[in-house]
């Protein structure tokens, strides 16, 4: 796997997770996910996974 791939995937996961968290909390309206606590949890898990991928990819890139 290329060294930049986990960083890009992690950044995308953080972005998508942030949107899902915002929808779950009701900050972003216009979706069936708005105000649903489930999407807040899923979004936070995605953000955490994205952070892990970015950190792992950055460490891998340095060595």
């Amino acid at each position: 796997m290329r060294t930049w791939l986990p960083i890009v995937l992690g950044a995308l996961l953080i972005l998508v997770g942030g949107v899902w968290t915002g929808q779950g909390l009701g900050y972003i309206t216009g979706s069936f996910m708005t105000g649903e606590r489930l999407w807040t949890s899923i979004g936070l898990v995605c953000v955490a996974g994205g952070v892990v991928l970015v950190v792992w990819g950055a460490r891998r890139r340095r060595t």
Side-chain angles (χ1 to χ4, degrees):
M1 194 167 23
R2 298 196 185 267
T3 56
W4 54 268
L5 189 60
I7 296 171
V8 170
L9 290 177
L12 289 173
L13 202 55
I14 291 169
L15 182 65
V16 170
V19 169
W20 287 348
T21 301
Q23 287 177 326
L25 292 172
Y27 296 132
I28 302 172
T29 59
S31 172
F32 67 93
M33 295 186 248
T34 302
E36 294 291 327
R37 185 173 276 188
L38 172 67
W39 289 104
T40 303
S41 302
I42 292 172
L44 290 174
V45 169
C46 286
V47 168
V51 168
V52 168
L53 275 175
V54 168
V55 169
W56 179 68
R59 282 188 175 182
R60 230 176 127 215
R61 191 169 200 166
R62 278 193 281 154
T63 59

